[in-house]
Amino acid sequence: VLNRNAMNRRIEDLSAAGSLIEGGLGVVFVDLNGLKNANDSKGHNEGDEMLKNVAEKIMSVYPADAIYRAGGDEFLIIMTGTDRDDFYSDFEKLKALSRVPGQPAFAIGAHYDDDRKDIVKIMNIADQNMYMDKTDYYEANPHMDRRTR
């Protein structure tokens, strides 16, 4: 998993390349659910293990794509040169891993564009979709919601 600096450089490069990108451009945002709760109740080692677990799941679905740790509990995957069907097929695979009982849960959002390839717009839409998924998770699991405490 690459760091935030590498992610920012890649976004700058993709912004400059724009329509020169062959194939489509897709972005997936992943954000752990319950990390604050785990850190507060079980310690930061537990939180670190959750992050590693989720990173491994992401790498199992996207072994050849650029995966970045965008922030404390957030990951970003950038897929270039892919088609819409492959992009959403991989997204559905990761989505299935996002709510495995007994495993760390994570919110996931995606967006794909094969025309304009505006990385910033694609990222914004994927991020909004991820936050909708996170809201759905916490509505279904209010005991896990420690975001505002």
Side-chain angles (χ1 to χ4, degrees):
V1 175
L2 302 167
N3 66 25
R4 188 175 181 87
N5 289 332
M7 179 188 76
N8 290 336
R9 284 192 300 275
R10 181 71 189 274
I11 292 166
E12 287 174 13
D13 291 347
L14 289 170
S15 291
S19 62
L20 300 175
I21 300 167
E22 291 193 30
L25 176 62
V27 169
V28 177
F29 267 106
V30 173
D31 191 309
L32 271 72
N33 293 328
L35 182 63
K36 180 171 177 25
N37 187 32
N39 282 336
D40 291 349
S41 65
K42 298 178 183 175
H44 287 274
N45 286 339
E46 178 72 18
D48 290 347
E49 289 303 314
M50 288 175 66
L51 286 165
K52 289 176 191 176
N53 179 293
V54 171
E56 288 171 2
K57 287 179 180 179
I58 295 169
M59 290 185 292
S60 75
V61 175
Y62 299 98
D65 296 298
I67 303 166
Y68 304 93
R69 186 163 175 203
D73 62 352
E74 196 166 80
F75 296 90
L76 174 76
I77 302 104
I78 298 175
M79 295 178 70
T80 58
T82 188
D83 67 38
R84 182 176 300 276
D85 291 339
D86 289 342
F87 176 80
Y88 283 108
S89 174
D90 288 344
F91 173 76
E92 289 301 323
K93 289 175 190 172
L94 188 60
K95 182 82 172 164
L97 296 174
S98 72
R99 301 284 199 291
V100 174
Q103 295 289 313
F106 51 93
I108 181 171
H111 189 67
Y112 175 90
D113 191 338
D114 50 13
D115 294 325
R116 293 183 312 278
K117 300 180 181 115
D118 179 344
I119 184 70
V120 174
K121 184 174 183 176
I122 294 168
M123 287 175 59
N124 286 336
I125 295 169
D127 191 47
Q128 290 170 11
N129 291 338
M130 184 268 301
Y131 275 103
M132 288 189 312
D133 189 46
K134 183 172 273 304
T135 298
D136 292 345
Y137 173 82
Y138 284 121
E139 285 177 359
N141 300 280
H143 63 283
M144 295 294 294
D145 193 353
R146 301 208 36 178
R147 295 173 293 173
T148 59
R149 293 185 203 173

